[in-house]
Amino acid sequence: MTEPTTHRLTWNDLPESVRARVGDVLGAPVRAHRSAHGGFSPSSAELVTARNGRTAFVKAVTARTNAGSMCLNLQEAENLERIPPAVPAARLIASFREGPWFVLMIEAVEGSLPTLPWTPSVLDAVLETLDVLQREATPSPLPSAPSVPDLTGEDLRGFERVHADPPADLDPWIRARIRDLATAGTDGIASLDGDTLCHTDLRADNLLVRPDGSVVIVDWAWAGRGSRVADALQLLASVDDADGALDVDARIDALMDRHGAPRSDATDVLAGILGFFVDASRWDVDPSLPTLGEHRRSSRDHLLPMVRRRWEREGRP
């Protein structure tokens, strides 16, 4: 059976000096390695096992490979050092520089990415994990982290950019109410403010489901401070529920009700996320991130019906 190809660097792409230092941290040379898949970064994503049985998840990249990924790995290392044990996150083992390389060694979690399409039980488990996160990390243990509005505000203004320069193939429903959608996106930004630790980049490929059904959140480069519902809204916006079997709309309403937040705030945030993907679908894609373009287009196409349903249900023009 052929192993799936990956756009990421692999263990064999790393220089011997990096591989040797990974072994030094684990206390013995690495005897086995396996590439993980998913995500957009070209950074390595290797599950390694040393001869003494110790394991780690290794992320390594150089600025020459992708400067953005290098910065994100540096930021993730800083964030992981400060996230407390009660948060359902994989722990930092070590980080180091070796020549032009920056290397992250993170706890290897026994688990797998959520199987897509989503199942109700796994989606429930992830939402329960986010409840644990907001319970254990409010106020945020990273008080100097940027706010979620600061991290995402420019993205959620996508409909402003689309209004200024609409693409020829813009959906007619969007075209007819582009000004109102732009206003909704702006309103959604403000509603995401708060003092909870937020992952801020939550989707299926940043989650691991253990054999016992519990969930661990990974890839903490974008950690910020925001609303207790910010991560859950971002996750639910990423769930394709074309046939309604997951009842994502009802889950969103239940989330907002549970936290005493207006349901219309969720619609504003979702409109802003849709605006990002409508705008981003026409951007050029960095050749080192080859899967990003299709992700943007598919996210746009599954999110539009949900925003439209909520918009019309709320009686918006």
Side-chain angles (χ1 to χ4, degrees):
M1 180 175 177
T2 303
E3 184 178 6
T5 58
T6 177
H7 61 278
R8 292 181 177 274
L9 294 165
T10 65
W11 182 250
N12 292 329
D13 294 321
L14 309 184
E16 178 56 36
S17 60
V18 168
R19 289 184 280 175
R21 284 197 63 179
V22 169
D24 290 343
V25 171
L26 294 177
V30 170
R31 64 171 173 80
H33 56 86
R34 175 170 59 87
S35 297
H37 301 276
F40 309 111
S41 170
S43 173
S44 72
E46 296 289 309
L47 291 162
V48 303
T49 303
R51 289 178 184 169
N52 59 7
R54 292 189 65 192
T55 60
F57 182 69
V58 178
K59 300 172 73 169
V61 74
T62 68
R64 182 175 180 181
T65 304
N66 187 280
S69 293
M70 177 82 155
C71 290
L72 290 175
N73 283 7
L74 287 162
Q75 187 61 54
E76 182 175 11
E78 182 177 334
N79 291 339
L80 288 175
E81 286 177 349
R82 295 183 291 161
I83 291 176
V87 170
R91 307 294 154 206
L92 180 67
I93 297 172
S95 63
F96 61 85
R97 290 182 180 271
E98 178 67 27
W101 294 84
F102 180 70
V103 182
L104 271 172
M105 295 178 62
I106 301 169
E107 171 191 10
V109 176
E110 184 184 1
S112 58
L113 299 177
T115 301
L116 300 181
W118 288 87
T119 63
S121 60
V122 172
L123 188 54
D124 285 340
V126 173
L127 293 173
E128 289 169 7
T129 299
L130 296 181
D131 283 342
V132 173
L133 170 61
Q134 58 86 15
R135 219 170 33 241
E136 298 291 344
T138 305
S140 172
L142 280 63
S144 62
S147 72
V148 172
D150 285 345
L151 284 169
T152 64
E154 191 60 29
D155 289 345
L156 298 190
R157 292 187 175 92
F159 275 132
E160 294 180 10
R161 295 184 290 274
V162 172
H163 178 240
D165 180 24
D169 63 347
L170 184 63
D171 181 89
W173 185 86
I174 293 176
R175 189 182 294 275
R177 47 193 53 77
I178 185 66
R179 290 179 184 272
D180 292 331
L181 286 164
T183 299
T186 301
D187 291 343
I189 296 168
S191 75
L192 293 174
D193 202 10
D195 64 347
T196 292
L197 172 65
C198 296
H199 182 277
T200 319
D201 191 28
L202 209 61
R203 54 182 190 268
D205 56 4
N206 285 336
L207 299 162
L208 290 172
V209 182
R210 288 186 170 119
D212 65 2
S214 62
V215 177
V216 177
I217 306 170
V218 299
D219 289 345
W220 283 88
W222 292 101
R225 294 174 293 104
S227 160
R228 292 179 182 234
V229 302
D231 277 340
L233 283 177
Q234 185 179 42
L235 173 76
L236 289 167
S238 75
V239 176
D240 188 350
D241 189 27
D243 60 5
L246 296 168
D247 213 1
V248 168
D249 269 349
R251 291 172 187 272
I252 291 170
D253 288 343
L255 170 75
M256 304 305 283
D257 294 348
R258 189 162 67 252
H259 291 283
R263 294 180 178 186
S264 58
D265 282 358
T267 305
D268 290 340
V269 171
L270 295 171
I273 296 173
L274 172 62
F276 168 77
F277 286 117
V278 171
D279 184 35
S281 294
R282 56 189 177 170
W283 297 352
D284 292 335
V285 175
D286 184 333
S288 68
L289 307 173
T291 63
L292 194 52
E294 177 54 33
H295 166 73
R296 291 168 176 167
R297 291 186 293 272
S298 63
S299 297
R300 173 200 63 194
D301 293 344
H302 87 247
L303 190 51
L304 173 55
M306 179 162 61
V307 171
R308 181 172 180 171
R309 285 194 304 272
R310 296 184 65 86
W311 192 273
E312 294 173 349
R313 190 167 69 237
E314 292 171 10
R316 304 195 192 199

